[in-house]
Amino acid sequence: MATPRNRAGSVRAADLRWRGALAVLDEMRRAPGVTRAAVARRLGLSTGSATEITSRLRDLALLAETPAATTSRGRPTSVLTPHPDGPLVIAVDLRQEDWRCAVASLDGRPGIAESGTHRSRAPEQVIDTVAQAVRRLHHRYGQRVRAISVAIAATVQHGKVVQSAVLGWDAVDLAALTSDPRTPLLIGNDATLAGLAEARQGAAAGAASVLHITVEVGVGGTLVIDGRPMHGATGAGGEFGHLPFGDPDLRCPCGARGCWDLAVDGRAIARHLGEPPPRDPRTYAEQVLARTPADPAVRAAIGRTTTGLAHGLAGLINALDPAVVTLGGLAESLRAATEPQFTAALADGLMRFRRPHPPPVLAAALGRDGALHGAVVTALDHVLTEDGLAAWAALHSSRSPA
Ligand SMILES: [Zn+2]
């Protein structure tokens, strides 16, 4: 991104020791409400350095300090929280049925500001509605908004939507979601962003390699290594649902044959029950899962679907060797409904050497908010860089001469 550093010659990146500042802000982001003393301990900073950095960040409206409750043994310290006039990001979650717009400060907690249900899924109507909501928020917060980040149920390549089976879209330009060219627009696949959020702050926080799998309509996910999703050469990686783990006789709406997508969701359950393809496979699957205990035919259909999910997951574990697996959406519901079958099918698909110590398979912690959290994470990663902070400092000093 362009960095207007020259507008404030006295606040060049090097002068402000952005590296120390970034480390302190990362600590605040990881644990909002952390004390300055705890941050200094974690980063190995002297009390003097920590105080100097936090007071500089306070002057730049990047964090606020309030006195911490002191214990008889501890020295007085302060609690670090986002500054009330500090940078913000707008996060958008664009799903099959609805959309949400949220605003987050540097603590990364999205507050939903606007939301709605699609009246029509025609791309121009959806984009126009969401763009108006983004524009209202941008107008309200002005240049405090440092990035707009969109999570969408679509394949994203080179930062652009190229295809969405669930929305019924081909290539669609989302550029209208930002009306100010100075504000970066970041676009990511929803399942990838949900996996990123689970790896950074959810069920797998702290693990070095995390495989996230989620089922809504079809299956999506990502492999996150050291806190970064594996995007591939063009950004379109992680389309696990289009691995040929399904029935080779079935053609997927994506264009390929035999996709795993068709073997793990409400469409699969309906096929196994001999029922017509559901119009809304997600809701259909939830309704059938609610019937499970009573009906042996339903139990069998759910069991076959769970087996298809677990076998594919085993293949991915064999190939990718994750330290932790997280399951979101219907994937976790299917496992919970038929735990013994899931466990047996997973073990059956694992290479023999892996069976005694398979990676833990955990329920995703962020639920249906995972993608929105992931959009915020991506936006803050963009803002909390040396260039991002220098741009903010330049803006701040041009507004409020010291
Ligand atoms: Zn496919």
Side-chain angles (χ1 to χ4, degrees), residues 128-186:
D128 187 50
T129 304
V130 178
Q132 286 181 38
V134 170
R135 219 171 291 138
R136 282 191 290 273
L137 291 173
H138 213 160
H139 184 72
R140 187 183 313 163
Y141 296 110
Q143 285 188 279
R144 287 181 65 198
V145 176
R146 309 309 292 167
I148 297 164
S149 182
V150 182
I152 183 164
T155 303
V156 176
Q157 187 178 44
H158 300 302
K160 290 186 157 58
V161 170
V162 289
Q163 184 171 351
S164 170
V166 299
L167 286 161
W169 293 4
D170 288 317
V172 167
D173 190 355
L174 298 184
L177 293 183
T178 177
S179 48
D180 182 346
R182 289 171 300 181
T183 311
L185 177 67
L186 311 167

Side-chain angles (χ1 to χ4, degrees), residues 163 241-243 251-262:
Q163 184 171 351
H242 307 284
L243 283 163
R251 175 76 68 185
C252 176
C254 81
R257 187 181 282 283
C259 289
W260 193 28
D261 250 21
L262 301 179

